[in-house]
């Protein structure tokens, strides 16, 4: 969940590079952040862990397709190996960059600082769009877990109406400020994972380890397998805009990312271990929502209903958290003058009304797509955004090696480049296995972003709409301020 970053305006003595020793500099950690959060209570370690958990995961709901695509062995190995290829590098980058730039725009600011406002806008466009696509998944997952108990929700008009109705209700909750923050996130996280703990104990007598080793490399849907793994293990950077609201982010944010990483991996691995080991394998049945059927087999109707309730709570939490992140990102971009000023307006509940309406409209428009198509399209756009993040991370290391960094990934520039190689290789593989339909749609979306930014600048030049830049934020419009954060 993205919250407003706390404003801290302190003049610092350290410099950011050696370009001009006669100019006063502001250390990156002390970049002022937007107003309005000076009275907010800081987020402590435990709530922050579960906030990250909900931004990334929310539980094992949606991992079933890995077994469908590749069988038990590759599914289990995927959730053990892929975190080293993707999750750990992204979490480390988020720990450094998120504490360097504690403000509402998050990764948009990272790219703006390194590459300028044009590419910062492209980053914001692709990340927002991928977030909206991601949010379209949660009503789908919610209904897939209910369809075993309510078959009418499996398709047709009832499913469409239920999807739209659920989106409207959750959007209204978001408008009212019902966000996954603090100990609410802790409660929802425990509630979502607890039925899998109970199911694990009940399944012990039925576990057969030989089922875990089943593999057929000639019968693997690599596109579905990689996209499902990638979707379930990304979005670590979404927490970046919370760094200004964290108690002692220099220590708390990196530690929270570490513990959240462990929680996410265990939250995926052990339910898969239970489900594949306790029930005879039928790969065709392993689609989103199948865990509720496994709960019925292992524990009966009461466990299935409990797991379905957990899935509902989890998807509600992830939907509200994602929509809040998307809408506050638009608000943050408006505060930087990248979008018209009306995007920065808030409802009487303090929520970004225009951003919420834009995000909800995108979710409804995408509700016709299937689970697999949504994942593939979201991953394609997310990959482009992550490439920009990696470039920004490395460029800031090169240009400003002595900048104040509350948390620093070790190894300097060489370490930054090495850290980005495995996830970049994974991005190439994911893009390679994308279908032609997903590729065309995603490239059209990228092209829209490339044309949209000049159009918005033209509107600003003609003064058809009002644009403004928050005085609390550093100006990245000029090359010198972009590269050195000079005030």
């Amino acid at each position: 969940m993205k919250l407003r970053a706390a404003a801290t305006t302190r003049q610092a003595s350290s410099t950011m590079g050696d370009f001009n020793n006669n100019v006063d500099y502001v250390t990156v950690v002390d970049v002022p952040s937007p107003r309005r959060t000076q009275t907010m209570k800081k987020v402590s370690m435990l709530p922050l862990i579960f906030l990250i958990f909900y931004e990334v995961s929310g539980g094992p709901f949606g991992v079933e397709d890995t077994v469908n695509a590749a069988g038990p062995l590759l599914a289990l190995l995927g959730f053990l190996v892929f975190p080293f290829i993707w999750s750990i590098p992204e979490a480390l980058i988020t720990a450094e960059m998120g504490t360097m730039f504690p403000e509402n725009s998050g990764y948009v600011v990272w790219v703006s600082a390194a590459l300028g406002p044009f590419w910062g806008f492209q980053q914001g466009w692709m990340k927002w769009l991928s977030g909206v696509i991601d949010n379209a998944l949660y009503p789908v997952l919610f209904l897939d877990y209910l369809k075993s108990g309510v078959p009418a929700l499996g398709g047709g008009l009832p499913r469409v109406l239920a999807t739209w109705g659920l989106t409207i209700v959750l959007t209204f909750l978001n408008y009212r400020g019902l966000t996954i923050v603090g100990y609410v996130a802790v409660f929802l996280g425990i509630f979502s994972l607890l039925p899998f703990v109970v199911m694990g104990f009940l399944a012990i007598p039925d576990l057969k380890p030989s089922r875990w080793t089943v593999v057929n490399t000639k019968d693997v849907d690599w596109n579905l397998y990689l996209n499902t793994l990638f979707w379930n293990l990304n979005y670590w950077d979404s927490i970046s805009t919370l760094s200004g609201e964290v108690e002692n982010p220099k220590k708390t944010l990196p530690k929270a990312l570490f513990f959240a990483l462990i929680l996410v991996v265990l939250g995926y691995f052990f339910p898969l271990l239970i489900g594949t080991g306790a029930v005879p394998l039928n790969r065709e049945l392993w689609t989103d929502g199948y865990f509720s059927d496994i709960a019925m087999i292992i524990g009966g109707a009461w466990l299935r209903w409990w797991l379905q309730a957990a899935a509902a709570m989890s998807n509600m939490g992830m939907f509200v958290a994602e929509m809040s992140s998307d809408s506050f990102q638009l608000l943050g971009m408006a505060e930087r003058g990248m979008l018209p000023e009306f995007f920065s307006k808030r409802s009487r509940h303090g929520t970004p009304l225009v951003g919420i309406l834009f995000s909800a409209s995108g979710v409804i428009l995408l509700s016709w797509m299937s689970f697999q198509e949504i994942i593939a399209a979201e991953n394609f756009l997310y990959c482009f955004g992550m490439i920009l993040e990696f470039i920004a991370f490395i460029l800031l290391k090169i240009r400003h090696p002595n900048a104040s960094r509350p948390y620093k990934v070790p190894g300097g520039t060489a370490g930054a480049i090495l850290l980005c190689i495995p996830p970049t290789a994974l991005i190439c593989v994911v893009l390679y296995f994308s279908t032609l339909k997903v590729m065309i749609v995603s490239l059209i979306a990228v092209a829209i972003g490339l044309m949209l930014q000049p159009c918005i600048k033209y509107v600003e030049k003609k003064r058809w709409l009002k644009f403004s830049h928050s005085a609390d934020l550093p100006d990245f419009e000029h090359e010198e301020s972009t590269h050195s954060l000079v005030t």
Side-chain angles (χ1 to χ4, degrees), residues 11-17 23-30 402-404:
Q11 187 68 28
S13 60
S14 62
T15 62
M16 187 166 191
V23 180
D24 290 331
Y25 289 84
V26 174
T27 55
V28 182
V29 66
D30 293 323
N402 299 319
S404 176

Side-chain angles (χ1 to χ4, degrees), residues 150-477:
V150 186
L153 297 177
L157 183 61
R159 184 179 179 88
V160 173
L161 294 177
T163 301
W164 285 28
L166 185 63
T167 300
I168 292 171
V169 170
L170 293 178
T171 299
F172 178 74
L173 291 177
N174 199 283
Y175 161 75
R176 290 299 304 268
L178 182 63
T179 53
I180 308 302
V181 291
Y183 287 97
V184 173
V186 178
F187 166 76
L188 290 176
I190 294 174
F191 185 82
S192 299
L193 293 174
L194 195 56
F196 291 97
V197 176
V198 174
M199 188 166 68
F201 282 109
L202 294 177
I204 290 176
D206 299 321
L207 291 177
K208 294 183 179 180
S210 60
R211 293 171 176 166
W212 296 329
T213 60
V214 176
V215 62
N216 182 2
T217 55
K218 296 180 181 180
D219 183 23
V220 176
D221 185 343
W222 291 107
N223 182 38
L224 178 60
Y225 175 70
L226 292 172
N227 274 300
T228 305
L229 281 172
F230 189 64
W231 174 67
N232 279 287
L233 291 167
N234 60 20
Y235 276 89
W236 296 91
D237 56 344
S238 295
I239 203 65
S240 60
T241 57
L242 192 61
S243 58
E245 287 298 316
V246 176
E247 290 180 359
N248 191 10
K250 180 177 180 180
K251 295 182 178 180
T252 306
L253 183 59
K255 288 182 180 178
L257 283 163
F258 172 75
F259 289 118
L261 179 65
I262 295 175
L263 182 62
V264 167
V265 172
L266 294 181
Y268 288 145
F269 184 76
F270 280 103
L272 276 176
L273 201 69
I274 295 164
T276 55
V279 176
L281 177 63
N282 186 339
R283 281 175 55 176
E284 294 181 357
L285 297 178
W286 279 88
T287 58
D288 47 295
Y290 185 55
F291 270 124
S292 63
D293 295 332
I294 294 175
M296 180 70 181
I297 295 171
I298 293 175
W302 67 272
L303 186 57
R304 183 181 70 175
W305 283 109
W306 185 10
L307 190 140
Q308 289 174 339
M313 294 290 286
S314 176
N315 283 289
M316 286 176 60
M318 289 187 290
F319 185 100
V320 176
E322 183 63 56
M323 179 169 285
S324 179
S325 296
D326 298 337
S327 56
F328 270 99
Q329 179 197 316
L330 295 181
L331 181 146
M333 292 176 69
E335 289 177 337
R336 286 204 157 274
M338 294 182 179
L339 294 174
E341 189 182 55
F342 63 79
F343 277 96
S344 65
K345 302 299 182 182
R346 296 172 180 268
S347 70
R348 61 191 179 92
H349 303 288
T351 50
L353 179 60
V354 177
I356 288 174
L357 292 176
F358 265 73
S359 300
S361 299
V363 171
I364 291 176
L365 289 173
L366 292 166
S367 62
W368 58 272
M369 297 176 68
S370 70
F371 180 83
Q372 291 81 7
E373 288 176 329
I374 292 174
I375 287 181
E378 177 227 340
N379 286 346
F380 198 99
L381 289 170
Y382 188 82
C383 285
F384 278 95
M386 288 309 303
I387 289 172
L388 289 178
E389 282 187 27
F390 295 155
I391 293 173
F393 175 62
I394 293 171
L395 284 181
L396 289 174
K397 284 278 195 180
I398 294 172
R399 293 171 179 168
H400 312 302
N402 299 319
S404 176
R405 288 170 165 83
Y407 174 82
K408 182 183 293 187
V409 176
T413 302
I417 294 173
L418 290 174
L419 184 68
C420 293
I421 290 176
T424 302
L426 176 59
I427 285 175
C428 294
V429 173
V430 171
L431 294 179
Y432 175 79
F433 281 105
S434 296
T435 63
L436 181 61
K437 175 183 176 181
V438 168
M439 187 178 300
I440 292 174
V441 171
S442 301
L443 289 177
I444 291 174
V446 172
I448 291 174
L450 294 174
M451 295 184 292
L452 188 59
Q453 198 270 351
C455 292
I456 290 177
K457 297 303 289 185
Y458 183 78
V459 169
E460 180 182 7
K461 181 180 179 180
K462 291 294 185 178
R463 298 186 178 181
W464 293 341
L465 292 173
K466 185 178 180 181
F467 290 74
S468 63
H469 189 287
S470 174
D472 292 331
L473 300 173
D475 183 12
F476 294 133
E477 286 295 326

